[in-house]
Amino acid sequence: MEKHNFSIEFFPPKTPEGAEKLRATRIKLSELHPKYFSVTFGAGGTTQQGTLDTVREILAAGEQAAPHLSCVGGSRASIRAVLADFKAAGVSRIVALRGDLPSGYGASGEFRYANELVEFIRAETGDHFHIEVAAYPEVHPQARSPQDDLQAFARKVQAGADAAITQYFYNADAYFQFVEQTQKMGINVPIVAGIMPITNYTQLMRFSDMCGAEIPRWVRLKLASFGDDSASIKAFGLDVVTGLCERLLEGGAPGLHFYSMNQAAPTTALWQRLVK
């Protein structure tokens, strides 16, 4: 596993209790020695301060941290200020995203697409930041076509992205086909597979409907058959996602990025299975 890029994602806590819980989660997950922890960034910058505070705490603990930066609704001046804050905090890695429009938000600001944000970061800061961008093996839900989505990804890499993290998925073939297609286009940046542990059927269905991630029919039916039996859902989910991770790593994925949902147990259980 050492040769792979293994990372874990958090979202900024909204309450003091949430901050305490995340602190405990991070301490547990740091025992797995991930390459870095990423911290999400709310639409329109709604959690900007929370992201920075969480990142500072991770860095102060001696871990690597990568804040997400979404540009939707932002201006060049506001993004420039955020980049200065990140540099001052000691950040050297950024996950650069377009981001979603907050509810009722009319204008999209000065940046329309993530490639424009990547280009701006490079123009402002040179090579100071290692920039990760998003990739969508099952096609971005707002893309006009799979080919358009590939072209959008290519523009982000051409603008200066160093690597990519995918939306989560449960179909390894979709990932491998996406990587193969990008390589045929001359794109050779590492594309790390995003992994979502399965712990709650209702929550997983809601997230997947929102982001366009497909849950294979057999997995969906099996999860639904467990009803409220959370222990069975977690055990089955662990088997499914472990198998997915093993296939991805054996097939050449450069690493895994775990969407932790600010919980230590699901990612730890997966990791323990994978290192055996």
Side-chain angles (χ1 to χ4, degrees):
M1 293 293 287
E2 288 74 20
K3 67 180 185 292
H4 295 105
N5 178 353
F6 166 55
S7 51
I8 300 172
E9 181 169 300
F10 296 139
F11 58 83
K14 294 180 179 177
T15 64
E17 295 78 17
E20 280 298 321
K21 181 191 168 195
L22 179 55
R23 191 168 296 119
T25 295
R26 192 246 312 149
I27 289 169
K28 287 180 184 174
L29 290 175
S30 67
E31 296 172 6
L32 306 180
H33 306 295
K35 186 166 186 179
Y36 65 91
F37 293 106
S38 73
V39 184
T40 63
F41 189 90
T46 52
T47 60
Q48 181 178 319
Q49 191 57 45
T51 300
L52 187 56
D53 290 345
T54 304
V55 162
R56 282 179 175 144
E57 186 168 319
I58 294 169
L59 292 169
E63 306 284 349
Q64 290 296 308
H68 287 209
L69 178 56
S70 88
C71 62
V72 73
S75 65
R76 283 169 172 75
S78 68
I79 298 295
R80 186 178 291 118
V82 173
L83 292 172
D85 286 342
F86 287 166
K87 284 184 80 170
V91 170
S92 60
R93 182 186 288 265
I94 286 177
V95 181
L97 308 163
R98 187 198 71 172
D100 299 318
L101 280 170
S103 180
Y105 214 90
S108 60
E110 294 183 45
F111 298 93
R112 292 173 302 157
Y113 304 110
N115 64 290
E116 296 172 355
L117 175 60
V118 174
E119 189 174 12
F120 182 75
I121 295 170
R122 284 285 177 241
E124 290 288 313
T125 65
D127 292 329
H128 178 82
F129 294 109
H130 181 282
I131 302 176
E132 314 254 4
V133 293
Y136 297 86
E138 294 177 317
V139 186
H140 191 286
Q142 295 173 347
R144 285 173 297 202
S145 70
Q147 195 55 38
D148 276 356
D149 200 35
L150 278 169
Q151 292 296 338
F153 180 69
R155 285 192 291 273
K156 290 188 282 192
V157 175
Q158 290 157 3
D162 296 295
I165 301 167
T166 75
Q167 171 64 269
Y168 74 84
F169 57 89
Y170 298 104
N171 181 349
D173 289 333
Y175 170 83
F176 290 126
Q177 185 184 49
F178 180 82
V179 171
E180 183 180 328
Q181 288 175 313
T182 61
Q183 289 174 345
K184 285 179 179 175
M185 297 170 72
I187 299 168
N188 292 300
V189 299
I191 300 175
V192 172
I195 303 297
M196 177 70 84
I198 297 175
T199 60
N200 181 302
Y201 173 62
T202 307
Q203 185 184 62
L204 180 67
M205 292 299 292
R206 189 173 71 249
F207 284 163
S208 300
D209 285 345
M210 283 179 0
C211 68
E214 181 186 337
I215 304 173
R217 183 171 180 271
W218 71 275
V219 173
R220 228 172 348 117
L221 293 175
K222 189 82 168 177
L223 288 169
S225 75
F226 293 129
D228 295 329
D229 183 355
S230 63
S232 294
I233 289 172
K234 289 176 182 177
F236 173 70
L238 181 57
D239 287 343
V240 167
V241 181
T242 299
L244 171 67
C245 293
E246 288 172 344
R247 190 173 168 207
L248 290 168
L249 295 174
E250 287 165 6
L256 305 173
H257 182 76
F258 291 93
Y259 297 109
S260 76
M261 302 305 294
N262 288 12
Q263 298 176 43
T267 297
T268 300
L270 274 169
W271 182 250
Q272 289 170 341
R273 289 267 193 105
L274 294 170
V275 296
K276 284 181 181 177

